[in-house]
Amino acid sequence: MSNKRSNSFRRAILQGSRQLKGCSLRDEAGLGLSQRLVRHVAYETLPREVDRKWYFDSYTYCPPPWLILAITIAEVAVFMYYGLQLDRLVLQVSSPSFLKSPLPYHPQLRAQAWRYLSYIFMHTGIEHLSLNMAMQLLVGVPLEMVHGALRIGLVYACGVLAGSLAVSVTDMTAPVVGSSGGVYALVSAHLANVVMNWSGMKCQFKLFRMAMALVCMSVEFGRAVWLRFYPPAFPPCPNPSFVAHLGGVLVGLTLGVVVLQNYEQRLQEQSLFWIFFCVYTLFVLCAVFWNIFAYSLLDVRLPPPP
């Protein structure tokens, strides 16, 4: 039996919650460390008290938030491997062997379909990895604890794929590395959810923390823009593109917001989810056809393969 609530069930819960207004989850005393963590996550991510209580009473750490942690560990492991292989941790992209890995997206190798997703495991340097990893863990793990690996994985994967496809359409000669597409999808969806439910969100220092999140996103995006237009170490291949960040943001502000706003409800009952999902699918199909036909029709001069 599904643990997702139907719309009719949610309406009944909301109606019954009127009797609970005087009883806040913050008033709970004698909680252990794990229970306090669950309560903290509830106030970080959910705007309605009834949903926070439902989550607090039903969460069991089984399964734990494994997806974001597994992705982060894999990214760190790949970075350390190539750090030792390339003998550098800062600006690994400046190494002539950096793009020879089977992981980054490269326009000359766009027929290798796995590269549209696997590029997230490569980063231009420790400064790139650190910013992405911090945002990924601080935002992604609490969201996964609340919404589950399936929903958060959907938003993350859609952001990653949209990022590489957006680069292949708008910045056709550039490679792509880094997990920014997925990270920006999660962070932008969460920030938009906070803004849309500002009065209901009871997390502490929310204005300051939101400002800090925007600063981190801006710093990372600014670094990516600077690197893209910085003279490449090995021309004619340009430095990695920054457009993947924008693709992730667009996914977060559309599909991601719908997923986060419908906690414990069946997404298949939400018409807005299907609208955004269909628009996303149409974008993917158009980008696939673009990659098949546009490069030859436009006679794009691509950099040589790595």
Side-chain angles (χ1 to χ4, degrees), residues 88 93-97 231-239:
R88 67 185 69 192
V93 70
S94 63
S95 170
S97 301
F234 300 96
C237 183
N239 285 323

Side-chain angles (χ1 to χ4, degrees), residues 71 75 117 119-123 128-129 131-133 136 156 159-160 176-185 220 244-245:
I71 292 173
E75 290 170 356
L117 297 174
Y119 73 91
I120 68 170
F121 298 109
M122 295 286 291
H123 289 78
H128 187 195
L129 174 68
L131 283 169
N132 276 346
M133 188 171 63
Q136 189 165 275
Y156 191 90
V160 169
V176 188
V177 295
S179 58
S180 299
V183 171
Y184 275 56
E220 158 58 14
H245 299 68

Side-chain angles (χ1 to χ4, degrees), residues 2 12-13 21 23 33 50 76 81 94 97 99 122 138 166 180 208 257 259 264 292-293 302-303:
S2 173
I13 292 293
K21 287 184 178 179
C23 180
L33 180 61
V50 61
V76 173
Y81 170 78
S94 63
S97 301
L99 291 177
M122 295 286 291
L138 292 175
S180 299
F208 171 77
V257 169
V259 171
E264 278 296 325
I292 295 174
F293 300 110
L302 295 176

Side-chain angles (χ1 to χ4, degrees), residues 21-301:
K21 287 184 178 179
C23 180
S24 171
L25 186 58
R26 290 193 186 277
D27 298 332
E28 296 280 349
L31 300 179
L33 180 61
S34 63
Q35 290 177 308
R36 290 200 298 270
L37 175 61
V38 173
R39 181 175 63 180
H40 174 75
V41 169
Y43 277 98
E44 289 289 309
T45 56
L46 296 172
R48 289 180 289 268
E49 186 68 17
V50 61
D51 285 336
R52 290 192 284 262
K53 291 179 180 179
W54 172 281
Y55 168 72
F56 181 79
D57 291 336
S58 61
Y59 188 72
T60 62
Y61 287 99
C62 184
W66 60 271
L67 179 64
I68 296 298
L69 292 175
I71 292 173
T72 304
I73 291 171
E75 290 170 356
V76 173
V78 170
F79 176 79
M80 295 304 299
Y81 170 78
Y82 282 102
L84 295 173
Q85 190 178 71
L86 303 175
D87 193 27
R88 67 185 69 192
L89 296 178
V90 178
L91 284 179
Q92 287 185 355
V93 70
S94 63
S95 170
S97 301
F98 180 77
L99 291 177
K100 293 182 179 179
S101 165
L103 298 177
Y105 167 84
H106 191 283
Q108 282 281 17
L109 304 173
R110 64 187 184 279
Q112 299 176 358
W114 70 84
R115 291 178 180 267
Y116 290 91
L117 297 174
S118 64
Y119 73 91
I120 68 170
F121 298 109
M122 295 286 291
H123 289 78
T124 58
I126 193 168
E127 69 289 343
H128 187 195
L129 174 68
S130 299
L131 283 169
N132 276 346
M133 188 171 63
M135 291 189 288
Q136 189 165 275
L137 291 174
L138 292 175
V139 176
V141 171
L143 288 180
E144 186 181 348
M145 289 177 64
V146 173
H147 297 280
L150 185 61
R151 291 188 174 200
I152 296 306
L154 173 66
V155 176
Y156 191 90
C158 287
V160 169
L161 183 57
S164 55
L165 289 176
V167 171
S168 71
V169 171
T170 62
D171 197 1
M172 299 169 70
T173 62
V176 188
V177 295
S179 58
S180 299
V183 171
Y184 275 56
L186 292 181
V187 176
S188 59
H190 177 57
L191 293 182
N193 191 38
V194 171
V195 171
M196 293 169 66
N197 299 279
W198 187 261
S199 61
M201 300 298 291
K202 302 299 182 183
C203 50
Q204 294 181 329
F205 310 112
K206 58 185 176 183
L207 183 60
F208 171 77
R209 293 164 65 181
M210 186 170 182
M212 290 302 299
L214 291 174
V215 167
C216 290
M217 294 176 70
S218 301
V219 168
E220 158 58 14
F221 182 70
R223 182 209 58 82
V225 173
W226 168 82
L227 182 62
R228 172 64 180 88
F229 295 106
Y230 189 80
F234 300 96
C237 183
N239 285 323
S241 177
F242 60 87
V243 178
H245 299 68
L246 304 179
V249 169
L250 288 177
V251 169
L253 295 179
T254 53
L255 195 62
V257 169
V258 176
V259 171
L260 298 193
Q261 278 198 322
N262 289 283
Y263 166 71
E264 278 296 325
Q265 297 170 60
R266 300 184 182 97
L267 286 178
Q268 60 267 30
E269 293 184 357
Q270 312 302 317
S271 58
L272 199 57
F273 169 78
W274 288 111
I275 292 173
F276 285 137
F277 188 79
C278 290
V279 171
Y280 178 82
T281 304
L282 181 62
F283 161 73
V284 171
L285 292 175
C286 291
V288 169
F289 280 104
W290 179 275
N291 277 270
I292 295 174
F293 300 110
Y295 281 77
S296 57
L297 292 175
L298 298 176
D299 195 22
V300 179
R301 186 172 299 176

Side-chain angles (χ1 to χ4, degrees), residues 3-21 48-55 57 263-265:
N3 64 342
K4 299 299 180 186
R5 289 178 279 177
S6 65
N7 283 332
S8 58
F9 183 72
R10 182 177 178 277
R11 283 195 294 269
I13 292 293
L14 286 174
Q15 186 173 4
S17 69
R18 296 172 184 171
Q19 304 173 2
L20 301 175
K21 287 184 178 179
R48 289 180 289 268
E49 186 68 17
V50 61
D51 285 336
R52 290 192 284 262
K53 291 179 180 179
W54 172 281
Y55 168 72
D57 291 336
Y263 166 71
E264 278 296 325
Q265 297 170 60

